[in-house]
């Protein structure tokens, strides 16, 4: 039985193939079409619908020189992105300008482009930002202990902020950064000013030593140090940053406090308008005025000022709060007007409407400016 079954499985396919070949069935099932190409005819090209466009070959899709690498592709892609987006400044795009003990950084790029990178410098350096106004280009850090405010010492700064008694210092500092369009088109000027406090022993109350914080003079050395740190952060080497700061020799400047024919007080700066504009702006930052707005084309700074003589009975913090919104502070807005006189520049203090101020306050404001600018 097994032998018969095997024989049947072999014989059946043979008989089937024989029958198919004899009847021409294979020819009908698998006809020979090798010569069909001779019968073809050329037809017209397909029309592209009017709402579609053909895609030409683009150089961006071609591999040049017969080879390509992932790193090369990424480099080319990044180059194209940089060309169409924001380009970070290079050390060659930075320079330092100086006027006496005031220095500022001139960097290639508009203020809106430079702002984010300059702002990140303070955060990466461990500072807290107490207030900022990107539209005005002003940023102010929080107070920090002097011994832990060195950029890069983030761990100590963090510990000091969370556990205030972990590190103690009798000195505290804060910094104000201001960005402004440069005198040269396509540049931004970065100003950094310093404010300081010092702790003073006041007396004992129930065996407890009490202290108060009093202002101390701004430190131009710390301002220069922060400018150097920012240059390094933006890509300059420490040696290059130090060279830029030391290559600029302080230039003497002079100021004269006088009166016009109608008795209006005026501060005369023996400088051109662009130079005087920078000097006044830095000084306003140093003496802690709140600059609400500025119009360089009109030569006007809009500031809020609270006469310190009216605050003698107030605490120290309220004395510093020139920008306070408390109505009891009676903070008044003034215009500090700069007028171009060629070789000299006149500085006047006007009221909020741009009119001559008849009170003694303009004399006090101009005296504060004079003490810094003479």
């Amino acid at each position: 039985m097994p032998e018969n079954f095997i024989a049947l499985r072999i014989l059946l396919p043979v008989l089937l193939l024989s029958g198919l070949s004899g009847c021409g069935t294979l020819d009908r099932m698998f006809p020979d079409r090798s010569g069909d190409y001779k019968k073809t005819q050329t037809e017209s090209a397909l029309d592209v619908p009017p709402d579609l466009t053909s895609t030409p070959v683009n150089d961006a899709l071609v591999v040049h020189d017969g080879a390509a690498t992932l790193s090369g592709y990424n480099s080319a892609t990044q180059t194209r992105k940089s060309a169409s987006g924001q380009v970070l400044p290079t050390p060659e795009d930075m320079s330092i300008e100086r006027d006496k003990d005031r220095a500022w950084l001139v960097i290639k790029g508009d203020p809106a482009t430079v702002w984010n990178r300059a702002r990140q410098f303070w955060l990466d350096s461990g500072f807290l930002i107490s207030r900022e106004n990107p539209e005005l280009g002003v940023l102010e850090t929080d107070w920090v202990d002097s011994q832990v405010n060195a950029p890069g010492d983030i761990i100590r700064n963090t510990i000091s902020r969370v556990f205030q008694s972990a590190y103690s210092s009798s000195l505290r500092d804060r910094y104000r950064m201001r960005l402004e369009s440069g005198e040269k088109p396509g540049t931004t000027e970065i100003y950094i000013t310093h404010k300081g406090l010092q702790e003073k022993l006041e007396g004992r109350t129930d065996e407890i030593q009490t202290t108060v914080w009093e202002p101390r003079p701004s430190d131009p050395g710390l301002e220069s140090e922060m400018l150097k740190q920012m240059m390094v952060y933006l890509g300059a080497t420490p040696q290059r940053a130090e060279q830029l700061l030391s290559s600029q020799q302080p230039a003497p400047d002079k100021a004269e406090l006088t009166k016009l024919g109608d008795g209006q007080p005026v501060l005369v700066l023996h400088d051109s308008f662009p130079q005087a504009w920078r000097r006044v702006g830095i000084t306003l930052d140093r003496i802690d005025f709140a600059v609400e707005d500025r119009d360089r084309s009109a030569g006007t700074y809009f500031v809020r000022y609270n006469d310190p003589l009216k605050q003698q009975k107030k605490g120290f913090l309220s004395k510093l709060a020139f920008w306070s919104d408390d109505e009891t502070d009676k903070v008044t807005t003034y215009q500090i007007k700069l007028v171009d006189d060629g070789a000299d520049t006149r500085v006047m203090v006007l009221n909020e409407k741009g009119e001559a101020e008849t009170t003694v306050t303009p004399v006090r404001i101009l005296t504060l400016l004079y003490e810094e600018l003479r």
Side-chain angles (χ1 to χ4, degrees):
M1 184 67 179
E3 292 81 1
N4 294 337
F5 179 73
I6 295 174
L8 181 61
R9 291 183 61 184
I10 297 175
L11 181 61
L12 185 60
V14 173
L15 293 176
L16 182 60
L17 289 174
S18 299
L20 291 174
S21 60
C23 300
T25 304
L26 288 177
D27 291 337
R28 291 193 299 272
M29 295 179 63
F30 305 102
D32 183 9
R33 306 182 65 89
S34 60
D36 287 355
Y37 74 94
K38 298 179 181 179
K39 303 175 183 179
T40 60
Q41 298 179 359
T42 302
E43 301 290 343
S44 59
L46 294 175
D47 294 329
V48 179
D51 58 338
L52 297 179
T53 57
S54 59
T55 303
V57 176
N58 192 303
D59 287 343
L61 305 178
V62 178
V63 178
H64 297 281
D65 300 329
T69 63
L70 178 60
S71 60
Y73 170 78
N74 290 336
S75 176
T77 303
Q78 185 63 37
T79 299
R80 288 194 294 271
K81 289 181 179 179
S82 298
S84 60
Q86 296 180 353
V87 180
L88 295 178
T90 64
E92 291 73 21
D93 295 331
M94 293 181 280
S95 62
I96 286 290
E97 299 292 335
R98 183 184 291 277
D99 177 27
K100 203 175 181 180
D101 65 346
R102 292 169 286 272
W104 59 93
L105 175 63
V106 180
I107 188 169
K108 186 177 180 180
D110 59 273
T113 302
V114 177
W115 170 264
N116 289 334
R117 187 65 172 163
R119 179 184 185 274
Q120 194 64 35
F121 160 75
W122 299 103
L123 297 177
D124 290 348
S125 298
F127 288 91
L128 293 177
I129 297 176
S130 63
R131 68 186 186 101
E132 60 181 319
N133 187 329
E135 290 75 18
L136 195 57
V138 175
L139 178 150
E140 191 171 272
T141 72
D142 203 355
W143 290 100
V144 293
D145 288 345
S146 288
Q147 68 180 42
V148 295
N149 69 347
D153 197 357
I154 300 177
I155 296 178
R156 293 189 67 185
N157 279 337
T158 303
I159 294 176
S160 179
R161 290 196 297 268
V162 178
F163 304 101
Q164 297 182 2
S165 61
Y167 300 103
S168 60
S169 173
S170 61
L171 302 176
R172 289 181 179 176
D173 302 306
R174 77 177 180 191
Y175 297 91
R176 178 182 293 176
M177 178 184 72
R178 179 166 53 86
L179 274 62
E180 188 171 317
S181 296
E183 184 177 359
K184 296 180 180 179
T187 63
T188 296
E189 297 174 351
I190 301 179
Y191 302 89
I192 296 178
T193 51
H194 163 261
K195 294 294 294 182
L197 293 176
Q198 58 186 357
E199 191 176 23
K200 180 182 178 181
L201 299 178
E202 192 174 51
R204 285 182 174 272
T205 303
D206 296 332
E207 302 301 326
I208 299 177
Q209 181 71 58
T210 60
T211 61
V212 294
W213 290 95
E214 296 183 344
R216 77 180 200 272
S218 298
D219 190 338
L222 289 177
E223 295 171 353
S224 296
E225 177 62 24
M226 297 309 297
L227 281 175
K228 182 174 71 174
Q229 294 292 342
M230 178 169 286
M231 282 189 286
V232 173
Y233 183 82
L234 294 176
T237 64
Q239 295 78 10
R240 173 62 174 168
E242 185 68 34
Q243 179 185 9
L244 288 175
L245 279 170
S246 60
S247 62
Q248 296 291 330
Q249 297 299 323
D253 57 19
K254 297 178 181 179
E256 180 182 358
L257 190 58
T258 183
K259 291 184 179 181
L260 297 177
D262 57 0
Q264 183 180 1
V266 62
L267 178 63
V268 179
L269 301 180
H270 303 302
D271 272 317
S272 63
F273 177 85
Q275 192 74 357
W277 176 265
R278 298 188 189 96
R279 293 173 57 195
V280 171
I282 295 174
T283 301
L284 290 174
D285 289 337
R286 280 185 174 178
I287 59 181
D288 223 358
F289 275 80
V291 179
E292 291 187 323
D293 201 356
R294 58 179 179 268
D295 185 350
R296 182 167 180 164
S297 61
T300 305
Y301 285 97
F302 300 88
V303 303
R304 280 192 288 169
Y305 173 75
N306 190 4
D307 194 334
L309 296 180
K310 299 178 182 179
Q311 304 184 51
Q312 290 180 350
K313 296 183 179 181
K314 296 183 180 182
F316 171 68
L317 292 180
S318 63
K319 292 181 181 179
L320 288 182
F322 295 120
W323 54 85
S324 174
D325 293 327
D326 189 351
E327 293 182 357
T328 60
D329 285 342
K330 298 181 181 179
V331 178
T332 307
T333 301
Y334 292 92
Q335 296 185 20
I336 298 182
K337 179 76 173 180
L338 279 69
V339 179
D340 189 353
D341 279 344
D344 296 334
T345 301
R346 285 183 288 125
V347 183
M348 298 176 292
V349 177
L350 308 177
N351 62 20
E352 188 173 6
K353 298 180 180 179
E355 302 168 344
E357 177 66 34
T358 58
T359 67
V360 73
T361 301
V363 177
R364 292 171 180 159
I365 295 177
L366 291 177
T367 300
L368 289 172
L369 295 174
Y370 171 72
E371 292 296 329
E372 288 286 332
L373 295 172
R374 62 179 178 177

